[in-house]
Amino acid sequence: MLFGAVGTLISCCIISIGAIKSFQKIDIGPLDIGDYLAIGAIFAATDSVCTLQVLNQDETPLLYSLVFGEGVVNDATSVVLFNAIQSFDLTNTNPRIAWQFFCSFLYLFLTSTMLGVVTGLLSAYIIKKLYFGRHSTDREFALMMLMAYLSYMLAELFYLSGILTVFFCGIVMSHYTWHNVTESSRVTTKHAFATMSFVAEIFIFLYVGMDALDIEKWRFVSDSPGTSVAVSSILLALVMVGRAAFVFPLSFLSNLSKKSPTEKIGFKQQIVIWWAGLMRGAVSMALAYNKFTSLGHTHLRGNAIMITSTITVVLFSTMVFGLMTKPLIRFLLPHPKPQISSDPTTPKSVTVPLLGENQDSLDDLGGHEVPRPSSIRALLTTPTHTVHYYWRKFDDAFMRPVFGGRGFVPFVPGSPTERSSHNQWQ
């Protein structure tokens, strides 16, 4: 959330300011403040699909988790930010317009999140309580797929962020719904969604490749190729600067709250995170076409330059940065492969060191239970442990009795079942 939400806003601001200062010296046509802010939102969107293709979850689990989480939240934040910019007339800005813009962004972000959570809980309740879909692989799989798609359709119906809604719906469904179905349904959903995901990724790259051959836009800039190259170079430099401006400072702030060296994000890891997020892809292309074309066509030279520059940045970053990411990871972080767990009841049974070395859960901190915070100071110094303690307590007491989930055992602090309940939840 720190990288994906706050970092995206920082990157958007830096790219927008840099574009304002640079493009005014280049003759690319008239652009207003709304166009520059839209450019910031367009190029603040990283390509999470391409990034995850060059990372290996087994070799670099922590990096994979950080890049995956940031990528999804980043795409959602960029789309929400772009829609908020499009819905306001920013030619005459004042404090009132700025406040309305911020409230609109916050509204879209929070309502999309809540819609995804509610839809995911609804799917868990339907499969757990209603009989017509129980113990039938076909019906359980159909319900899970349709409920997940319902969250996206509802988001589009209410003009919210479909990406963000589907993301949080998937989180809730993996925690509750997936454990309410039969074993055959789990195997079916796991492989079916993996296959659909792979096919969708192929279509995304096909569309990006087809957009790269948009002859109409390239004809507009054929008389001034130097301008298009200059704009592309400036945008690429701003992307690199904008990403560095939040990865390293936010990592430093995050490390201040971590006492154990194994929980901190090392400098080499920060370099990999910065490099892996330099790629731009389908989201940037889609937003650029949405902003600078009308039904895919444009008759303005400035708009055509922005489209061709976006295509150039996407192709260059995907080919160059994408091909160099894997060797960079192997050079900086030669991690051994983690051990594969024998537990078949998880979507991807792999034990990864997300909490620290030789620490499978928070119970390994030295006691048999997650420490309860004793003061406000303890709450602020150990926020992760505190949130985990109260969330697990609330989840066992109220959520899982209603919505189901994996290995439900009533949570009783200090009881012998607390450790087993936590291990099953973990």
Side-chain angles (χ1 to χ4, degrees), residues 81 84-85 88 90 96-106:
L81 188 61
I85 293 172
F88 279 89
L90 300 175
R96 182 171 175 270
I97 295 295
W99 173 250
Q100 290 179 349
F101 172 77
F102 175 76
C103 292
S104 175
F105 171 78
L106 204 61

Side-chain angles (χ1 to χ4, degrees), residues 10 24 81 88 122 175 291 346 402:
I10 296 175
Q24 290 178 349
L81 188 61
F88 279 89
L122 180 62
H175 188 62
K291 175 64 180 178
T346 56
V402 178

Side-chain angles (χ1 to χ4, degrees), residues 310-348:
T310 304
I311 294 173
T312 304
V313 171
V314 168
L315 292 179
F316 182 86
S317 63
T318 301
M319 297 297 295
V320 177
F321 298 149
L323 290 175
M324 295 180 63
T325 300
K326 192 70 173 181
L328 183 67
I329 293 174
R330 292 190 179 276
F331 175 74
L332 294 176
L333 303 170
H335 280 296
K337 292 186 178 181
Q339 297 178 351
I340 302 298
S341 172
S342 60
D343 184 4
T345 61
T346 56
K348 185 171 180 64

Side-chain angles (χ1 to χ4, degrees), residues 42-43 45-48 50-51 54 205 208 232-233 235-237 239-240 243 274-285 308-326:
I42 289 170
F43 289 96
T46 63
D47 183 11
S48 58
C50 185
T51 303
V54 296
F205 284 104
V208 172
S232 302
S233 303
L235 289 174
L236 198 60
V239 165
M240 300 176 70
R243 183 156 183 84
W274 168 75
W275 183 270
L278 293 177
M279 288 167 277
R280 297 298 180 266
V283 175
S284 296
M285 294 280 287
T308 55
S309 299
T310 304
I311 294 173
T312 304
V313 171
V314 168
L315 292 179
F316 182 86
S317 63
T318 301
M319 297 297 295
V320 177
F321 298 149
L323 290 175
M324 295 180 63
T325 300
K326 192 70 173 181

Side-chain angles (χ1 to χ4, degrees), residues 2-213:
L2 196 63
F3 285 157
V6 180
T8 302
L9 294 177
I10 296 175
S11 179
C12 176
C13 293
I14 291 179
I15 294 175
S16 298
I17 294 174
I20 293 174
K21 299 295 183 181
S22 303
F23 290 172
Q24 290 178 349
K25 301 177 182 179
I26 305 176
D27 182 22
I28 62 172
L31 296 175
D32 56 27
I33 184 64
D35 295 328
Y36 288 116
L37 291 176
I39 291 172
I42 289 170
F43 289 96
T46 63
D47 183 11
S48 58
V49 173
C50 185
T51 303
L52 295 175
Q53 288 298 313
V54 296
L55 286 177
N56 189 295
Q57 186 175 8
D58 296 335
E59 295 179 359
T60 55
L62 178 58
L63 277 177
Y64 188 94
S65 300
L66 290 174
V67 174
F68 170 75
E70 179 206 348
V72 177
V73 178
N74 166 274
D75 288 345
T77 305
S78 300
V79 174
V80 171
L81 188 61
F82 180 84
N83 291 335
I85 293 172
Q86 293 289 85
S87 62
F88 279 89
D89 182 12
L90 300 175
T91 54
N92 298 317
T93 57
N94 55 62
R96 182 171 175 270
I97 295 295
W99 173 250
Q100 290 179 349
F101 172 77
F102 175 76
C103 292
S104 175
F105 171 78
L106 204 61
Y107 165 78
L108 289 174
F109 200 93
L110 295 179
T111 50
S112 300
T113 301
M114 290 305 300
L115 179 60
V117 171
V118 170
T119 309
L121 291 176
L122 180 62
S123 68
Y125 184 82
I126 290 176
I127 291 181
K128 183 176 185 293
K129 297 294 185 180
L130 299 185
Y131 180 77
F132 68 86
R134 192 178 303 172
H135 307 313
S136 171
T137 300
D138 297 339
R139 293 175 181 175
E140 287 178 339
F141 172 72
L143 280 173
M144 292 184 68
M145 183 175 65
L146 293 176
M147 291 300 295
Y149 189 59
L150 176 65
S151 66
Y152 178 82
M153 295 301 296
L154 289 176
E156 293 297 315
L157 180 64
F158 295 113
Y159 300 99
L160 303 176
S161 172
I163 296 178
L164 195 63
T165 302
V166 164
F167 176 61
F168 280 96
C169 180
I171 290 178
V172 174
M173 291 182 71
S174 68
H175 188 62
Y176 297 109
T177 312
W178 197 80
H179 298 286
N180 293 339
V181 299
T182 60
E183 183 64 27
S184 60
S185 298
R186 296 177 188 178
V187 175
T188 302
T189 54
K190 175 182 177 180
H191 292 287
F193 281 115
T195 303
M196 289 189 291
S197 173
F198 182 73
V199 173
E201 291 173 5
I202 293 176
F203 273 104
I204 287 176
F205 284 104
L206 283 176
Y207 276 114
V208 172
M210 292 167 62
D211 289 337
L213 300 177

